[in-house]
Amino acid sequence: MPSPRTPVRPGPLVRPEVRDALARCLYDGPGDPLAPDATDHRPAELRMSAILRRRADRMLAALAAAGLVVTDDGELRRAA
C-alpha cells in the first residue's frame, strides 16, 4: 500500500514586494503595518504584518484560481 503523499506548499505566487503592496492596501489604520515594531512582543504569527501578508496571499491564490495573474508591472491579467 503506497504511503499518502504529503501536500507540497507551492512557492509564492508573486514577488514578496507585490504581496506586501497588496497587504498594505488591506490596512486602513495609521502608519505602515508591515514595518518592524520592537515594542510588539506578540508571536510573529499574531502580529498585524503577518495577518495582512496571509490575507494578501489568500487573495492572490483566489485570483490565480479564478484564472487571473499579477504581472511584473503590477497589472492584473487573465491567464492564457
Side-chain angles (χ1 to χ4, degrees):
M1 178 174 184
S3 63
R5 299 180 81 187
T6 57
V8 177
R9 180 178 164 89
L13 295 171
V14 296
R15 294 188 325 255
E17 301 86 35
V18 175
R19 184 221 37 222
D20 286 355
L22 177 59
R24 284 185 176 93
C25 292
L26 297 172
Y27 182 72
D28 63 352
D32 182 2
L34 303 183
D37 184 0
T39 63
D40 190 355
H41 300 294
R42 292 177 289 177
E45 63 273 1
L46 298 178
R47 293 183 186 156
M48 181 59 67
S49 59
I51 293 168
L52 291 170
R53 285 181 172 126
R54 282 193 305 271
R55 186 173 289 163
D57 281 337
R58 286 194 305 266
M59 288 182 70
L60 290 166
L63 289 170
L68 301 171
V69 293
V70 178
T71 61
D72 286 342
D73 57 2
E75 295 294 318
L76 186 65
R77 302 192 195 281
R78 180 160 298 282

